[in-house]
């Protein structure tokens, strides 16, 4: 009796198909578990905190954010959320660069930002946080100009970032850079168009002398009365350190 050649071929073929299907099923299951664990550990942080109160609240979720980022591994969004828990450093009353604990905290913040930007270079808020930390802590050895520019390149119209980005830009003494001047001028016109003069006033009060001069010029070209209000308000309110 002759054996059916089709039967001899179908046996190994079906085994290979089943093995391949099983392998894909296992990989899919592992991926689902990986995504689920990261989501369960993910903190309730929607974006970069733009004031001291939100930054302090985000700092309380630092451990959870770090675990989520470690589980996510290659997920730049989770590393960015981990980095955002260090945003309170932007509003710290003092910045003693010789403080050992602060040095470690800055190193962890920088590591989270590096992961976030390596895996998700489109994240404007992460670039902005890096620029702010570089400006406030020269010990990082990083020029804030380039990350500040990247925050504009990757998110020129992110409305929630505009006030904080303006404060960082006009405090940085980087307004000799033509691109930075253009970006800052655009943000000022945007805030004026939306009647968000309080955001401009806050940036003006925290600005360097060069930053103040630029704000006065840019605002005065659009609304001279707003420029006069800035000057009057600054005279009544003592400047921050």
């Amino acid at each position: 009796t002759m054996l059916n050649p089709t039967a001899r071929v179908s046996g190994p073929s079906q085994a290979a198909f089943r093995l391949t299907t099983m392998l894909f099923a296992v990989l899919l299951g592992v991926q689902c578990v990986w995504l689920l664990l990261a989501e369960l550990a993910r903190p309730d942080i929607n974006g970069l905190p733009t004031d001291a109160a939100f930054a302090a609240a985000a700092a309380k979720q630092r451990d959870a954010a770090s675990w989520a980022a470690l589980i996510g591994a290659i997920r730049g969004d989770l590393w960015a959320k981990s980095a955002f828990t260090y945003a309170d450093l932007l509003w710290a009353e003092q910045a003693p660069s010789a403080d050992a604990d602060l040095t470690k905290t800055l190193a962890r913040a920088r590591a989270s930002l590096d992961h976030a930007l390596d895996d998700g270079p489109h994240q404007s808020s992460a670039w902005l946080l890096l620029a702010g930390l570089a400006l406030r802590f020269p010990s990082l050895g990083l020029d804030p100009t380039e990350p500040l520019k990247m925050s504009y390149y990757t998110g020129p119209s992110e409305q929630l970032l505009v006030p904080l980005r303006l404060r960082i830009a006009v405090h940085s003494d980087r307004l000799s850079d033509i691109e930075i001047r253009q970006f800052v001028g655009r943000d000022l016109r945007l805030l004026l168009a939306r009647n968000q003069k309080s955001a401009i006033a806050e940036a003006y009060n925290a600005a360097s002398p060069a930053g103040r001069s630029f704000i006065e010029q840019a605002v005065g070209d659009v609304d001279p009365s707003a420029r006069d209000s800035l000057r009057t308000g600054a005279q009544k309110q003592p400047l921050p350190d």
Side-chain angles (χ1 to χ4, degrees), residues 119-141:
D119 296 327
H122 63 285
Q123 300 180 97
S124 177
S125 51
W127 286 112
L128 182 58
L129 178 56
L130 182 60
L133 292 178
L135 174 65
R136 186 164 177 78
F137 301 98
S139 59
L140 285 174

Side-chain angles (χ1 to χ4, degrees), residues 182 184-194 200 218 222:
Q182 291 174 340
V184 172
R186 179 182 180 277
D187 278 353
L188 287 169
R189 291 190 296 272
L190 182 66
L191 291 172
L192 285 171
R194 293 173 178 163
I200 299 177
V222 179

Side-chain angles (χ1 to χ4, degrees), residues 80-240:
K81 289 180 184 295
S82 176
F84 295 160
T85 64
Y86 296 93
D88 60 319
L89 294 172
L90 297 178
W91 286 275
E93 293 183 1
Q94 296 180 346
S97 57
D99 189 313
D101 290 336
L102 177 61
T103 301
K104 293 178 181 178
T105 301
L106 284 173
R108 290 193 291 268
R110 178 67 189 274
S112 292
L113 282 169
D114 287 344
H115 280 294
L117 294 171
D118 285 343
D119 296 327
H122 63 285
Q123 300 180 97
S124 177
S125 51
W127 286 112
L128 182 58
L129 178 56
L130 182 60
L133 292 178
L135 174 65
R136 186 164 177 78
F137 301 98
S139 59
L140 285 174
L142 179 66
D143 183 356
T145 305
E146 292 308 314
L148 182 58
K149 286 183 180 181
M150 287 301 299
S151 75
Y152 280 106
Y153 293 148
T154 54
S157 299
E158 289 197 30
Q159 299 180 20
L160 295 178
L161 296 181
V162 171
L164 178 58
R165 188 165 58 194
L166 178 62
R167 283 177 61 95
I168 291 173
V170 298
H171 189 72
S172 67
D173 276 337
R174 290 334 190 253
L175 290 169
S176 58
D177 187 286
I178 295 177
E179 284 186 297
I180 296 293
R181 291 174 69 88
Q182 291 174 340
F183 289 139
V184 172
R186 179 182 180 277
D187 278 353
L188 287 169
R189 291 190 296 272
L190 182 66
L191 291 172
L192 285 171
R194 293 173 178 163
N195 200 32
Q196 293 180 283
K197 296 179 182 178
S198 60
I200 299 177
E202 290 177 4
Y204 182 80
N205 290 330
S208 65
R212 284 191 167 199
S213 177
F214 181 81
I215 291 176
E216 289 178 3
Q217 178 184 352
V219 171
D221 290 342
V222 179
D223 187 347
S225 65
R227 177 195 57 201
D228 296 338
S229 297
L230 286 174
R231 290 173 174 170
T232 303
Q235 292 173 359
K236 294 180 179 180
Q237 179 177 344
L239 295 182

